Amino acid sequence: EGVWPMNEYTEGLPVPSGTVAWAMLDTEHENCGISIVDIAESDYHDYMKLLEQEGFSVIEDVSEEIKGQDYVSIGTLLSNGEKGLGISYIPDNLTIYISFIKE
C-alpha cells in the first residue's frame, strides 16, 4: 500500500499521480492490478497521454454516465503489442490491470 509495485508487468510503465491504495500480482492468471486513489480527472487524462507517448495505443474507450450518480465512468483498453492495459476511472479512483499479450 502506498508504493507503486516494481515487477515485470509494471516495468516501463509511467507511474500515475495519486496514491496506491492496493496492488495485486496474480501469477496464476498472469496479470497485475493496481488501484490509485486521490487522482483528479485531469491527472487521469495526463496519464493517458503519457501512456500514448510510451507507445500504447487505445483499442477501445467507453464512457458511461452512472445512473443515479453525478459522474461518468471511463473504461479504456490499450496495447503496445507486448502488454495490454485495462484502465478504469471514476472520480478520485484509477484502476489499472496489466497483462502480457500472448503470441
Side-chain angles (χ1 to χ4, degrees), residues 31-81:
N31 67 50
C32 179
I34 306 159
S35 176
I36 307 288
V37 293
D38 303 326
I39 180 166
E41 189 168 346
S42 60
D43 294 327
Y44 158 77
H45 290 294
D46 290 345
Y47 187 63
M48 297 306 284
K49 285 184 194 130
L50 275 177
L51 288 171
E52 288 183 19
Q53 288 169 7
E54 292 294 325
F56 283 88
S57 300
V58 174
I59 297 168
E60 192 172 338
D61 198 15
V62 179
S63 296
E64 183 179 345
E65 195 165 321
I66 304 302
K67 207 172 194 163
Q69 303 292 322
D70 195 20
Y71 66 85
V72 173
S73 169
I74 305 169
T76 310
L77 296 176
L78 303 99
S79 170
N80 69 353

Side-chain angles (χ1 to χ4, degrees), residues 8-48:
E8 62 182 333
Y9 294 95
T10 60
E11 188 178 322
L13 288 183
V15 179
S17 61
T19 306
V20 175
W22 56 261
M24 171 199 71
L25 183 60
D26 184 346
T27 52
E28 186 181 336
H29 296 101
E30 298 181 353
N31 67 50
C32 179
I34 306 159
S35 176
I36 307 288
V37 293
D38 303 326
I39 180 166
E41 189 168 346
S42 60
D43 294 327
Y44 158 77
H45 290 294
D46 290 345
Y47 187 63
M48 297 306 284

Side-chain angles (χ1 to χ4, degrees), residues 85-96:
L85 305 180
I87 297 181
S88 66
Y89 178 82
I90 59 172
D92 296 326
N93 197 311
L94 176 74
T95 306
I96 306 169

